[in-house]
Amino acid sequence: MRYLVIQMENLLLLALGFIAGWLVVTIISPRVVVASLPAWLVSAAVATALLALGGRLVFDGTFQAFGIGLMASSFSSATLLVYEVVR
C-alpha cells in the first residue's frame, strides 16, 4: 500500500510540474516585457531557467517527478514557441 501511495504522489508531482512549466512559459512569460526584446525570446529565456531548475530538482533527489514534469513541459512549450517564430 505504501508503494501505491508513493507512486500516486509521484504522478501528482509530475502533473503539477508539467502544468506549472507550461503555464509559466506559454502564459506568464509573454506578458513580461524586457526592454525591446521580442516575447518569444523572453519565453525562451524563461524556459531555459525552468530547465535548469528542473534539472536541479531531479539531480538533488528532491521532487524528482516535479522536476521531470517541469523540464518536459518547458522544453516542449519553448520548442513550439520558437517553431512558430521560425515558421
Side-chain angles (χ1 to χ4, degrees):
M1 188 63 162
R2 179 164 168 75
Y3 180 73
L4 180 64
V5 170
I6 290 172
Q7 292 304 317
M8 294 305 290
E9 287 174 353
N10 285 337
L11 284 175
L12 179 66
L13 284 172
L14 181 69
L16 288 175
F18 193 82
I19 291 168
W22 190 266
L23 286 175
V24 167
V25 173
T26 58
I27 294 175
I28 295 172
S29 63
R31 299 187 196 291
V32 175
V33 176
V34 178
S36 62
L37 296 177
W40 66 268
L41 189 58
V42 175
S43 296
V46 169
T48 304
L50 286 178
L51 279 171
L53 177 65
R56 176 73 179 194
L57 290 173
V58 169
F59 292 113
D60 272 354
T62 57
F63 296 110
Q64 287 181 342
F66 184 79
I68 292 170
L70 198 64
M71 289 190 310
S73 66
S74 63
F75 177 74
S76 62
S77 58
T79 302
L80 290 174
L81 286 171
V82 171
Y83 175 74
E84 287 178 12
V85 171
V86 172
R87 184 175 49 128

